[in-house]
Amino acid sequence: MSHGPLPDRDDQVNAAARTGLAAAIDRGLAILNNIIVVFAAIALIAACAILSYSVLSRALFKAANYWQDEAAVFLLVGATFMTAAYVQQNRGHIGIEAFVGLLSPLANRIRLWLVDAVTLLFCAFFAWKSWTLAHEAYVDGQVSNSMWSPPLAIPYSLMAFGMSLLCVQILVQLALPFAGARRS
């Protein structure tokens, strides 16, 4: 199994090929992803604080907690989906590397490209469905079934935007080898 950043992302040979549109988009996404990660970390801390407050207020004061669970879930959904492009950018997902030793370097590059292409198709479908859900929820004024009743367009929009960023990230990673950049 493999996880972690691409080993050749910032080497000297690859740096020469990091000019052009794909590389500029990749650098822009890297900046955007780093900003999103900071906000996602804050969202995770806020979700922890909200859930801790919920438990303490319920246990100590017998207070109702009709909004805490839902607020925490919205924050967790946002943090999860919005950071998907960051994880993809750094190849932080876990991949099974059983075939790497058996395949030639060219076959491995083709395998990686095919995996990214199939992943892009799935993520594009997911993003499209998320945008349709967000649009429906916004137009119809859908809210959750809780007493707090926050609009469902919020988590659907976070899912849609996060999956769209992921699609752009995968597209850039698919395009970079054609622009002269190496990949592992």
Side-chain angles (χ1 to χ4, degrees):
M1 289 199 304
S2 168
H3 59 351
L6 286 173
D8 68 347
R9 182 167 180 87
D10 295 319
D11 65 9
Q12 294 297 328
V13 174
N14 211 21
R18 297 192 54 79
T19 60
L21 181 61
I25 293 171
D26 189 42
R27 286 189 299 273
L29 278 173
I31 292 167
L32 179 61
N33 286 336
N34 286 331
I35 292 168
I36 289 171
V37 164
V38 170
F39 284 106
I42 293 167
L44 290 176
I45 292 168
C48 290
I50 288 169
L51 290 174
S52 297
Y53 167 77
S54 173
V55 169
L56 287 174
S57 66
R58 208 172 345 147
L60 298 177
F61 308 115
K62 308 289 187 242
N65 63 345
Y66 57 88
W67 64 272
Q68 290 95 334
D69 291 342
E70 215 156 28
V73 167
F74 280 25
L75 290 168
L76 292 172
V77 165
T80 301
F81 282 96
M82 293 300 293
T83 58
Y86 175 83
V87 173
Q88 177 66 26
Q89 174 190 18
N90 292 297
R91 297 288 185 176
H93 61 279
I94 295 176
I96 308 236
E97 300 290 333
F99 295 110
V100 172
L102 302 174
L103 300 175
S104 69
L106 175 63
N108 272 324
R109 285 193 300 275
I110 293 169
R111 177 188 60 85
L112 282 172
W113 194 89
L114 288 173
V115 167
D116 280 349
V118 171
T119 302
L120 176 63
L121 290 174
F122 171 78
C123 291
F125 176 76
F126 196 110
W128 170 67
K129 286 306 287 178
S130 296
W131 281 116
T132 58
L133 283 172
H135 181 262
E136 263 181 40
Y138 179 76
V139 169
D140 295 344
Q142 295 175 6
V143 295
S144 71
N145 292 332
S146 72
M147 192 177 201
W148 182 35
S149 300
L152 289 175
I154 295 170
Y156 293 157
S157 296
L158 291 169
M159 286 175 18
F161 189 66
M163 291 306 288
S164 297
L165 276 175
L166 179 58
C167 288
V168 172
Q169 183 66 54
I170 295 169
L171 270 172
V172 168
Q173 286 178 333
L174 285 169
L176 280 174
F178 293 110
R182 284 188 314 155
R183 51 183 297 186
S184 61

